[in-house]
Amino acid sequence: MTAPSPRHPKIEVDVTADLARALLAEQHPDLARLRLHGRTFGWDNLTWRLGDHLALRFPVREMSALLVEHEQRWLPVLAPRLPVPVPVPVRDGAPGLGYPWVWSVVPWLGGEVVAATEPSTRTPWADELAGRARLTRLGRSRPGPGARVTQR
């Protein structure tokens, strides 16, 4: 069963369960048998849970599609330097079947809805993240041309 489309004025392309499953079957058939559930929406992306340990991340508007491309390129570089887990893409998805942008298969990171938590408890690691000298060195570790992650 597909969750209803959200009432969000910025969503340009919805990703139904049927579309997500078809894209998986076409591009990552080994993952297509996993249960697809728990569709959630953010401002720029839609996320489907895939099985117990993965998620599918789809941009839902053109201006956010480039952000997913940046995530695919830079999260593998940034993740080892951050004090918190980040959803490093484990597979890249390509446009297809009427869906116009790149998308990602990422690990599922459990947690709480930020808006439902007390502001003072939202980011106890913010000072550590902001003050890390290692973050000032990020510019020195740029991947070379063609270093884009396509599948792991």
Side-chain angles (χ1 to χ4, degrees):
M1 182 167 134
T2 301
S5 295
R7 294 182 193 164
H8 189 306
K10 301 291 185 184
I11 290 178
E12 297 167 10
V13 177
D14 189 14
V15 181
T16 64
D18 290 341
L19 178 56
R21 176 88 45 218
L23 286 165
L24 271 176
E26 179 181 87
Q27 298 180 31
H28 302 287
D30 59 313
L31 301 178
R33 64 172 176 69
L34 296 174
R35 184 169 75 110
L36 194 62
H37 59 105
R39 182 169 88 156
T40 60
F41 292 88
W43 190 255
D44 292 319
N45 296 285
L46 173 152
T47 302
W48 279 101
R49 289 277 310 262
L50 183 63
D52 293 330
H53 305 290
L54 296 172
L56 306 177
R57 184 167 163 79
F58 294 96
V60 293
R61 49 194 201 135
E62 184 177 11
M63 72 178 300
S64 60
L66 186 58
L67 300 175
V68 171
E69 290 181 32
H70 289 306
E71 290 171 0
Q72 290 173 344
R73 179 173 182 160
W74 288 105
L75 285 181
V77 174
L78 295 173
R81 299 163 185 217
L82 298 174
V84 295
V86 295
V88 176
V90 295
R91 306 267 183 103
D92 289 356
L97 304 173
Y99 182 76
W101 307 301
V102 300
W103 51 280
S104 299
V105 180
V106 298
W108 176 256
L109 300 177
E112 299 176 27
V113 176
V114 172
T117 61
E118 180 65 34
S120 63
T121 64
R122 289 182 188 170
T123 54
W125 43 263
D127 289 337
E128 179 183 1
L129 181 62
R132 287 281 182 174
R134 61 183 163 175
L135 292 180
T136 63
R137 296 188 307 263
L138 290 177
R140 297 184 206 150
S141 299
R142 294 188 178 119
R148 191 177 155 152
V149 177
T150 57
Q151 184 171 340
R152 282 184 252 150

